[in-house]
Amino acid sequence: VQLIKYNLFIYLLLININCLYHNVAYAFPRPSNSESEAGCSSPTLPFLWKVMYNKTVKSYLFGTIHVPYTWVWDTIPKIVQDSLQKSDNVYFELDFLNASTVHEMRDCQYLNNGTLKDILPADMFIRLSLHIKYVRRMMPKWVSSPNHRQLFKAITRHWQRKRIIWVLIMLNSLTKDDLRFRGTPSMDIYLAQYAKKLNKLIGAIEKVNEQCDPLNSFNLTQAILALNITLSQHEAIRLGLVHPSNKQDMINKYKCGQIDSFIFNQKTSQVSHYRLFICF
């Protein structure tokens, strides 16, 4: 008797999950109750699908949300863990448990030569520097750990040598909520660690250059525009002119299996924490 082998694909990419409905099926029946245990307005389903071939499950697809795993893990149904345990191989967008992947990802963020001061408009560079200094002053209030100085240095290390688009991403990580939970693995990292403990073979769907090249392909005008919009948002929050986006609503939607309805009713800047599967 030939043994059936499973692959659990955890591929993290922003897409419309509806495109999956034509190719795969939910991994378990829809609950009969009209209200979920989490208080959702519709039955709760995790973002887990099974890929069938000749009526046999060959693979699973599971969508994660890029927040600390402790925010959502307790509500993830057991069938997700069961599917992981049945699988032989686990594939992620990138394998961040691999040290070389981490180093390559870090190195691709730097300018080939020069610094940000050489390419940014003078007023924007000053605004950026002031905002980073503001975050450094607020760190003791935002982060209870005595290591808040080391944390700040680790995140902002060599920021003046980074490409504009990566500085933009850095800014979005320098918020009160993100910094308070820095050090807690995100859901996808936690799953990778969990899979490793189960002695699963871990792989990556993409190479580092496939992540870096699209971001590094922004021309100078596009990158400066994007940074200005992002910096302006953080400045407005800092001055109390606007409130930061409410991640709790986003998390609740994920728990209730309603992530697509949330994404397409929000601004792009508010949904950067979602990581879903590519459509096969």
Side-chain angles (χ1 to χ4, degrees), residues 151-164:
L151 175 61
F152 176 81
K153 289 180 180 179
I155 298 173
T156 61
R157 181 179 174 83
H158 301 317
W159 68 266
Q160 295 190 34
R161 291 176 46 208
K162 288 189 175 183
R163 298 173 186 266
I164 295 174

Side-chain angles (χ1 to χ4, degrees), residues 116-153:
L116 278 176
K117 192 173 184 179
D118 301 325
I119 58 177
L120 284 180
D123 62 329
M124 184 179 294
F125 183 81
I126 292 172
R127 289 168 54 208
L128 178 60
S129 300
L130 289 174
H131 183 74
I132 293 175
K133 290 178 181 179
Y134 162 78
V135 173
R136 184 178 61 188
R137 292 197 307 271
M138 297 303 295
M139 286 290 287
K141 298 181 180 179
W142 291 352
V143 180
S144 58
S145 170
N147 298 322
H148 58 80
R149 291 182 181 178
Q150 291 88 334
L151 175 61
F152 176 81
K153 289 180 180 179

Side-chain angles (χ1 to χ4, degrees), residues 236-265:
I237 293 171
R238 190 178 82 207
L239 296 172
L241 301 178
V242 298
H243 295 290
S245 59
N246 184 1
K247 293 180 183 177
Q248 190 57 53
D249 189 28
M250 173 184 71
I251 293 166
N252 289 341
K253 292 293 185 183
Y254 177 81
K255 291 178 179 178
C256 293
Q258 301 167 355
I259 199 171
D260 54 340
S261 64
F262 180 77
I263 287 177
F264 295 105
N265 286 313

Side-chain angles (χ1 to χ4, degrees), residues 135 142 171-180 234 247:
V135 173
W142 291 352
L171 282 182
N172 285 332
S173 71
L174 291 172
T175 65
K176 182 178 179 179
D177 283 345
D178 283 273
L179 290 170
R180 280 193 304 131
H234 288 291
K247 293 180 183 177

Side-chain angles (χ1 to χ4, degrees), residues 177-235:
D177 283 345
D178 283 273
L179 290 170
R180 280 193 304 131
F181 290 94
R182 195 80 177 200
T184 302
S186 62
M187 188 177 174
D188 44 321
I189 296 295
Y190 176 76
L191 281 170
Q193 295 171 339
Y194 184 49
K196 186 176 182 180
K197 289 181 181 178
L198 294 175
N199 295 318
K200 305 300 180 182
L201 295 177
I202 297 176
I205 300 295
E206 292 186 349
K207 297 179 181 179
V208 171
N209 67 290
E210 293 174 319
Q211 286 267 314
C212 288
D213 290 352
L215 291 171
N216 291 343
S217 67
F218 282 91
N219 64 43
L220 184 60
T221 300
Q222 293 170 331
I224 289 176
L225 175 62
L227 177 60
N228 184 53
I229 292 172
T230 300
L231 182 57
S232 296
Q233 290 176 338
H234 288 291
E235 288 171 330

Side-chain angles (χ1 to χ4, degrees), residues 35-134:
E35 297 290 330
S36 71
E37 294 180 1
C40 306
S41 58
S42 60
T44 303
L45 289 170
F47 292 93
L48 179 69
W49 293 265
K50 57 186 178 182
V51 179
M52 307 288 291
Y53 181 74
N54 288 339
K55 299 182 179 181
T56 300
V57 177
K58 292 296 184 181
S59 302
Y60 288 99
L61 303 175
F62 180 55
T64 66
I65 181 172
H66 196 62
V67 298
Y69 82 95
T70 51
W71 292 8
V72 294
W73 186 249
D74 288 346
T75 63
I76 299 298
K78 186 175 180 295
I79 192 171
V80 174
Q81 297 183 42
D82 292 342
S83 300
L84 179 58
Q85 290 174 351
K86 292 176 182 178
S87 303
D88 298 307
N89 305 298
V90 185
Y91 292 90
F92 297 86
E93 183 181 15
L94 289 172
D95 180 9
F96 281 110
L97 300 185
N98 186 318
S100 63
T101 298
V102 176
H103 292 155
E104 286 181 52
M105 199 71 188
R106 179 197 61 199
D107 292 344
C108 85
Q109 299 179 22
Y110 294 114
L111 293 163
N112 293 327
N113 51 66
T115 67
L116 278 176
K117 192 173 184 179
D118 301 325
I119 58 177
L120 284 180
D123 62 329
M124 184 179 294
F125 183 81
I126 292 172
R127 289 168 54 208
L128 178 60
S129 300
L130 289 174
H131 183 74
I132 293 175
K133 290 178 181 179
Y134 162 78

